[in-house]
Amino acid sequence: INWKEIQTMATRSLNGPGQRIQPFTINRETMNAMLGLVWNAGDNLMLKSNLSSGFRAPNLAELSSNGVHEGVYRYEIGNPNLKVEQNLNADLNLEYRHHALFMSASVYANRFFHYIYLSGSNDTWLGFPVFYFKQDNAWLYGSEWQGSLKPTSWGGLEWKELFSFTRGLRTDKQNLPFIPAPHLKNALRYERKHLGKMDGVFAEAELQYVMAQQRPAVFETSTPDYFLLNIYLGCNIPSSTGKWILGLSGLNLLNKTYTDHLSRLKY
């Protein structure tokens, strides 16, 4: 059981008489539950399922915003009447392990009640687009598939693959905002336990393919697909005072011009 209270005070002209957002006090009490099941179908196969509930009380920004968010160049307006966001979740995961091979597939579905989201509008303030915090019942569902292969004959090489898909819909079948596009990652990783005085040495090349997002929410825009090439390097260096952990990453090495659908600065 969780309990949360938020109280705001009058602050000159920000939430005084005549302003859209007035001082308020709210109390929120919620309770969660979870039930899980794991079935070992054999030495190499495992099935896991989970049913759970969750909640998130609206934060201060969602309740009382009334001004420009300079970081993303928009005017945000909160809603003190927002209710607690609650959900029921069901997920199913299947895992297979056999020597050097690992495979996993999972699906999930979330039913949200009073889902809180930031919605664009046709309103503007001094040239800034106005966004409102709103609520609606919604569905959020998706799937994730991953696999890896690391035979001992490869001498420290490992191949990894990951695919992720997410979809969000309001009860009126409108798309939820800020839903990521499906994406696929392929990676080849090389590891060595020891190299000279260093240990935990690794180098990883990753090719990421982000698909086009053709299901934008109202006031969002579609985004095209793109490829990214990333490199990761790292090692541990023992010293008299402990251990130095060094890492180096290079992202988008091909200098691809792209638009991330989750970026709030994409325009």
Side-chain angles (χ1 to χ4, degrees):
I1 298 177
N2 298 273
W3 182 78
K4 183 176 184 179
E5 177 179 326
I6 293 180
Q7 180 178 1
T8 64
M9 308 295 182
T11 308
R12 296 185 180 181
S13 61
L14 295 180
N15 59 354
Q19 296 297 316
R20 181 190 296 269
I21 305 296
Q22 296 293 306
F24 61 85
T25 299
I26 62 170
N27 299 297
R28 297 289 188 263
E29 184 176 338
T30 56
M31 183 174 64
N32 290 328
M34 182 180 69
L35 176 65
L37 176 67
V38 178
W39 177 45
N40 289 305
D43 294 336
N44 305 315
L45 191 63
M46 179 184 295
L47 181 66
K48 295 186 287 187
S49 62
N50 182 70
L51 295 173
S52 61
S53 65
F55 86 99
R56 186 180 73 84
N59 59 42
L60 189 60
E62 295 164 337
L63 293 167
S64 62
S65 289
N66 187 21
V68 175
H69 190 315
E70 290 85 357
V72 289
Y73 302 103
R74 66 180 175 223
Y75 195 101
E76 297 181 357
I77 298 178
N79 182 357
N81 297 316
L82 292 176
K83 299 178 181 179
V84 171
E85 179 183 282
Q86 294 182 304
N87 81 301
L88 296 176
N89 171 74
D91 61 76
L92 187 67
N93 176 259
L94 182 65
E95 292 185 1
Y96 176 79
R97 296 177 183 271
H98 184 67
H99 300 302
L101 178 64
F102 170 75
M103 299 179 67
S104 173
S106 62
V107 293
Y108 63 89
N110 276 283
R111 174 58 170 170
F112 282 90
F113 304 95
H114 314 304
Y115 182 82
I116 300 172
Y117 63 98
L118 193 60
S119 177
S121 70
N122 290 318
D123 301 335
T124 60
W125 184 86
L126 297 180
F128 293 95
V130 177
F131 283 70
Y132 296 88
F133 284 100
K134 296 183 178 181
Q135 283 188 305
D136 199 351
N137 295 337
W139 282 97
L140 191 67
Y141 58 90
S143 178
E144 184 174 275
W145 304 71
Q146 58 180 319
S148 66
L149 184 62
K150 190 178 182 180
T152 55
S153 60
W154 285 14
L157 280 176
E158 180 183 10
W159 166 79
K160 299 187 294 183
E161 181 129 0
L162 170 68
F163 174 76
S164 179
F165 164 81
T166 303
R167 183 80 193 278
L169 291 171
R170 302 196 326 238
T171 52
D172 59 1
K173 304 302 180 182
Q174 292 291 325
N175 295 311
L176 290 176
F178 301 114
I179 298 298
H183 63 273
L184 176 68
K185 291 183 179 180
N186 291 276
L188 187 63
R189 182 183 180 95
Y190 176 74
E191 292 183 352
R192 290 196 59 172
K193 292 183 178 179
H194 301 284
L195 182 62
K197 295 184 178 181
M198 300 181 295
D199 59 54
V201 179
F202 74 89
E204 181 173 329
E206 177 187 79
L207 182 63
Q208 181 179 1
Y209 173 56
V210 180
M211 302 179 185
Q213 176 55 284
Q214 301 292 352
R215 296 189 177 100
V218 179
F219 301 107
E220 281 190 332
T221 57
S222 299
T223 52
D225 62 337
Y226 55 91
F227 283 95
L228 297 178
L229 177 63
N230 307 316
I231 297 290
Y232 307 94
L233 306 171
C235 68
N236 302 321
I237 303 178
S239 69
S240 58
T241 58
K243 180 183 293 186
W244 290 88
I245 301 175
L246 304 181
L248 176 67
S249 61
L251 306 180
N252 191 17
L253 295 182
L254 299 181
N255 199 28
K256 171 67 176 178
T257 300
Y258 67 94
T259 302
D260 186 344
H261 188 81
L262 292 182
S263 172
R264 303 189 180 193
L265 294 176
K266 64 182 179 178
Y267 302 109

